Amino acid sequence: MTDVAVEDYAALVRDDRVHTSLYRDAAIFEAEMDRIFKNSWVWVAHASEIADRNSYKTSYVGRQPVIVTRDKDGQVHVLLNRCRHRAASICEARKGKSSVFVCPYHGWSYNVDGSLRKVPYAEGYRDDFDKAEFSLVSLRTEDYNGMIFATFREDIQPLAEYLGPARKWIDLFMKQGAGFGVKALGEHRFRFPGNWKIQLENTTDAYHFPIVHKTFLSSLDEETENLMDVLGQGGWVEDLGNGHSVMVMIPDLIDLEDNLHAPIPERFADLAAELAAEGHADDQVRRIVRAVGGSGFNLNLFPNVACSMAFFRVLRPISVEETEIQHIAIGMDGGPEAGNRMRMRLHEHFQGPMGFGTPDDAEGWERVQRGAQAGDDLWIMLNRGVEAPEGRAAPGHNAGDVSAETGMRAAYQMWKRMMAV
Ligand code: FES
Ligand SMILES: [Fe+2]
């Protein structure tokens, strides 16, 4: 027996803990899809994924499939991937280029802005059939510094306002283009048998790092191992409002344009030499090398995306006990190939399917879900660093030690606000 009724959502989130039913209750999951994913800005793409005119990618807003397109004038559209005839999905490819989408079932075709273009054997419809009534459903879409979000709601605040102080951190994150734009280099996806919020928590969880990632740490040279001692560098976590948070692990790497004359780490000496041999000026070499490992922080944007050091981590809830994760490796758009190659190798080393990091994380997430089958009257504790020292954050926002569970508390307070409506 639980000591709270599951429909009383507000009671399931306290200041320092959340109820286990948040991971396990199918009715709560249904309510989340409705109250959170249909009521907030949800990340759908990075601009570089649909850089060209008439390019597109498929994505999701909650469980609803969408197509993100760029039309011939450069404007971005987010369209429900559902034919207006009898609902077939009209695009199954992950990415591509096309000036038209043709539904495979009866051949209705749509322009990339979603308008209905042609209906085969149109004489079978009445004369007053109006194509304008059957455009693909178009979601409200806004972009901040290349991050494209969509929402079902016309009446919620503009994206910039929703992101608030997180915007500054997005700008800092994008500095890893090292003077170039940031570009998606590739992606991989996997699923784990666990609730989506376990994933949301993980991106703002420095506490597990030296424990779970011992294998990763032991695979590094000494200099890098010291750099990755994330609990020992004076980092912190900040609640940025609206469920967003930033976890600063390596304060020296907050602003990648600062401190360009610091010594080049040993592990990047070969890269620096290669770039210099290609004729890049010393300043440019230093800028690329400093940015190559990414930013020293994870920015969690509620509810479904993180700018995590050197990649985007996107979560997609499948069911109460299943989540899809997408890791999008990023690099310099137009920068030297040697730099992007190094970025890919670093990404594989930690995040890749055979990497030393993510597979160990995934074991932890699975175990949380499995363990949560026991003791359904118990609570998930988020009380680490609850008495956070003040001083670093803006008024009204807590800052705590990097291993504080501040970011999780921020996300769950937003969850509570949205679910208790
Ligand atoms: S369902 Fe798409 S044309 Fe019939
Ligand atoms: Fe981890």
Side-chain angles (χ1 to χ4, degrees):
M1 283 289 288
T2 57
D3 58 355
V4 286
V6 289
E7 61 277 10
D8 187 2
Y9 299 122
L12 300 175
V13 173
R14 296 187 188 158
D15 288 348
D16 65 348
R17 66 194 68 192
V18 299
H19 198 262
T20 298
S21 55
L22 263 68
Y23 292 167
R24 295 209 49 227
D25 189 283
I28 292 179
F29 180 82
E30 290 300 320
E32 289 172 340
M33 294 306 103
D34 199 41
R35 297 179 187 200
I36 295 174
F37 284 85
K38 280 176 81 178
N39 281 303
S40 59
W41 286 105
V42 174
W43 187 91
V44 290
H46 183 258
S48 66
E49 296 181 279
I50 49 161
D52 298 334
R53 313 283 150 129
N54 291 331
S55 61
Y56 68 85
K57 72 170 271 197
T58 48
S59 188
Y60 288 83
V61 175
R63 279 178 304 185
Q64 303 204 32
V66 296
I67 315 172
V68 188
T69 69
R70 190 182 293 278
D71 69 22
K72 61 178 183 354
D73 302 320
Q75 196 180 332
V76 175
H77 305 269
V78 179
L79 310 163
L80 287 189
N81 191 358
R82 177 204 201 272
C83 181
R84 293 299 306 277
H85 178 221
R86 294 230 301 278
S89 63
I90 60 162
C91 180
E92 290 289 325
R94 283 189 177 170
K95 279 192 180 116
K97 269 185 102 165
S98 179
S99 58
V100 62
F101 295 103
V102 182
C103 177
Y105 203 179
H106 312 92
W108 286 27
S109 58
Y110 299 89
N111 297 309
V112 293
D113 63 2
S115 54
L116 179 60
R117 182 172 182 158
K118 258 193 184 147
V119 170
Y121 306 104
E123 62 280 7
Y125 289 101
R126 284 171 33 158
D127 290 346
D128 61 356
F129 181 93
D130 182 3
K131 286 202 299 225
E133 279 178 36
F134 298 102
S135 298
L136 298 177
V137 173
S138 182
L139 271 57
R140 184 174 161 210
T141 305
E142 287 179 23
D143 165 306
Y144 182 78
N145 202 348
M147 301 289 271
I148 302 171
F149 295 74
T151 179
F152 285 94
R153 291 277 301 270
E154 288 300 327
D155 57 341
I156 59 169
Q157 64 202 134
L159 176 67
E161 214 175 282
Y162 176 68
L163 294 171
R167 282 175 298 171
K168 173 187 109 179
W169 293 95
I170 293 175
D171 295 344
L172 286 166
F173 188 78
M174 298 304 170
K175 286 191 179 189
Q176 62 190 287
F180 298 91
V182 161
K183 179 185 172 174
L185 296 178
E187 60 173 76
H188 51 109
R189 301 178 192 217
F190 57 97
R191 292 183 179 201
F192 77 96
N195 188 270
W196 64 279
K197 297 184 294 299
I198 296 169
Q199 170 60 203
L200 183 76
E201 292 167 14
N202 178 260
T203 312
T204 179
D205 184 327
Y207 190 22
H208 80 288
F209 200 91
I211 318 290
V212 167
H213 298 307
K214 221 177 261 166
T215 315
F216 168 71
L217 291 167
S218 69
S219 74
L220 302 171
D221 61 87
E222 203 183 325
E223 187 183 15
T224 315
E225 193 179 346
N226 290 338
L227 182 77
M228 287 293 163
D229 171 21
V230 299
L231 299 197
Q233 306 209 30
W236 68 93
V237 189
E238 238 174 277
D239 173 350
L240 300 174
N242 289 339
H244 316 312
S245 63
V246 66
M247 173 175 78
V248 176
M249 291 164 285
I250 309 173
D252 177 51
L253 295 177
I254 290 176
D255 189 335
L256 296 170
E257 276 163 14
D258 274 355
N259 210 7
L260 288 179
H261 293 282
I264 288 178
E266 184 55 39
R267 68 172 171 158
F268 297 138
D270 288 351
L271 172 64
E274 188 177 350
L275 292 168
E278 283 176 6
H280 300 285
D282 184 56
D283 266 16
Q284 181 68 339
V285 170
R286 287 177 172 277
R287 180 171 288 127
I288 292 169
V289 168
R290 181 159 157 84
V292 80
S295 308
F297 57 86
N298 285 359
L299 173 67
N300 235 7
L301 300 175
F302 188 87
N304 77 321
V305 69
C307 296
S308 179
M309 294 194 90
F311 69 108
F312 300 130
R313 182 185 256 183
V314 189
L315 67 86
R316 171 159 83 92
I318 307 286
S319 71
V320 66
E321 296 195 328
E322 188 172 20
T323 305
E324 183 184 88
I325 311 294
Q326 186 184 359
H327 283 175
I328 302 176
I330 56 175
M332 296 171 282
D333 191 359
E337 198 263 331
N340 281 347
R341 192 185 341 119
M342 173 60 86
R343 293 185 62 101
M344 288 304 288
R345 296 296 89 82
L346 294 173
H347 184 81
E348 290 156 3
H349 184 84
F350 190 95
Q351 280 84 23
M354 300 287 281
F356 286 80
T358 299
D360 290 337
D361 278 321
E363 171 78 14
W365 310 332
E366 262 189 71
R367 285 190 180 212
V368 169
Q369 191 72 34
R370 206 177 307 145
Q373 313 275 342
D376 57 10
D377 55 340
L378 298 177
W379 294 78
I380 308 292
M381 297 310 300
L382 308 168
N383 53 340
R384 192 172 167 83
V386 80
E387 302 295 340
E390 293 179 7
R392 277 199 197 94
H397 299 280
N398 295 322
D401 167 80
V402 69
S403 75
E405 285 153 345
T406 309
M408 298 168 221
R409 292 193 289 272
Y412 282 113
Q413 286 308 316
M414 182 64 171
W415 185 97
K416 182 172 174 170
R417 248 166 69 196
M418 298 197 80
M419 292 289 285
V421 169

